[in-house]
Amino acid sequence: MLKILPMVSVEEKVLCSLGWTDLDFLNKRRVVTISWESEIRMIYEFGIFSTMYEQKEMPSWFMHRSAGPSISFTIPNKLRGLNFCYVQMLRFLDDQFPHSPIITISNITNDRTWIYERFMDRYCINRKCWVVLSHWMFGMNEMEVGDHVTITVTVTEPYDEVIKECGVSLVYEDGKTDEEEEDALGYYKSWNHIIGGDLSPFQTTTGEYILHNKRFFEYGIDLFGYHRKFVRYGATYQVQKNEWFRALSRRKPDIIHDASEGKGESSRSRPLT
């Protein structure tokens, strides 16, 4: 369901595959938590990698930027993933906890929408500004050349928080063989409930996908009230019960075998955090 690990322990080939090129900058950053100071951590869920750190500007390699909470673009080449980054600020510095905004990625051309509420494992206390960096693993089935895409960040506490800027950096196919690609991200792609995998329990009756970790523990088909403004009228979840959970995909048996045979990446071999 969820994997959290220190950024310094993430293999460099994984970070390079994500297109996160400023590795020294990320590894040295710290975030202040409620009771201690620690290295920043990477969160992985739904096929999305993300991290959060204190900073006023997004990484310099984000060339396509937009002031405010929304950005639009067209896919120019064959895509294997995209990086999305935003700068979030508190309007008032008064010991408030930052909340997790909701990221909505809409492929306007193919009428597909992913609504993501990031898992929050820590908070920046008494910090005026911070950056959230995420990588989304997309493929040809979700994003095709020529597709028009819009990304919007919606803060849950608009009076207290604001999105200063957001940016997109696309990661294209680079000619590597399938074997080379699987060596870096194969384990993460073997998860079942990710983009490109089985997201049917997270899909609404009107077609949108609500990627929210609490859904793993729900039995009903009702949405949270605040999710309804992101979906079409009358939407409910398509799947009613949670008996559907399966950690790893049966479509990648070799990866599943490797993950459980000593690579240290099995869902049973280490704790979630």
Side-chain angles (χ1 to χ4, degrees), residues 34-75:
I34 293 176
S35 59
W36 70 91
E37 182 174 328
S38 177
E39 295 162 341
I40 63 172
R41 301 201 284 180
M42 185 176 76
I43 294 176
Y44 176 72
E45 55 181 345
F46 301 114
I48 304 167
F49 302 81
S50 64
T51 189
M52 182 176 73
Y53 54 92
E54 182 192 359
Q55 181 71 322
K56 295 182 179 180
E57 300 291 339
M58 67 179 67
S60 59
W61 41 270
F62 277 88
M63 305 302 294
H64 187 38
R65 303 185 179 203
S66 176
S70 183
I71 191 168
S72 298
F73 55 96
T74 300
I75 305 295

Side-chain angles (χ1 to χ4, degrees), residues 56-214:
K56 295 182 179 180
E57 300 291 339
M58 67 179 67
S60 59
W61 41 270
F62 277 88
M63 305 302 294
H64 187 38
R65 303 185 179 203
S66 176
S70 183
I71 191 168
S72 298
F73 55 96
T74 300
I75 305 295
N77 295 306
K78 188 176 180 181
L79 192 72
R80 65 179 177 90
L82 67 82
N83 287 308
F84 177 68
C85 186
Y86 63 85
V87 182
Q88 185 175 357
M89 301 179 63
L90 288 176
R91 294 182 187 272
F92 310 102
L93 189 57
D94 56 358
D95 296 332
Q96 297 186 53
F97 294 170
H99 299 81
S100 180
I102 295 175
I103 302 175
T104 303
I105 296 186
S106 295
N107 185 328
I108 307 300
T109 304
N110 289 337
D111 192 25
R112 291 191 177 189
T113 299
W114 296 267
I115 302 159
Y116 177 46
E117 187 170 355
R118 180 181 182 268
F119 178 83
M120 290 288 287
D121 73 319
R122 56 182 59 222
Y123 302 92
C124 295
I125 306 301
N126 288 328
R127 291 300 180 265
K128 186 73 173 178
C129 194
W130 61 95
V131 168
V132 176
L133 169 64
S134 62
H135 176 91
W136 299 57
M137 290 195 301
F138 282 114
M140 288 297 292
N141 292 330
E142 296 83 29
M143 299 285 181
E144 300 178 356
V145 175
D147 286 353
H148 181 65
V149 179
T150 296
I151 306 179
T152 301
V153 185
T154 304
V155 294
T156 55
E157 299 290 337
Y159 177 76
D160 299 323
E161 301 172 3
V162 64
I163 303 301
K164 173 187 174 184
E165 185 181 24
C166 59
V168 168
S169 175
L170 303 181
V171 182
Y172 304 113
E173 294 289 349
D174 54 9
K176 290 184 178 180
T177 65
D178 291 341
E179 183 177 351
E180 290 174 322
E181 178 63 25
E182 293 294 354
D183 184 51
L185 298 178
Y187 163 71
Y188 298 97
K189 291 183 177 181
S190 74
W191 284 34
N192 192 45
H193 303 293
I194 63 174
I195 297 173
D198 180 15
L199 286 180
S200 58
F202 301 88
Q203 188 174 21
T204 69
T205 52
T206 53
E208 303 89 353
Y209 295 94
I210 299 180
L211 308 181
H212 185 27
N213 198 271
K214 290 183 179 179

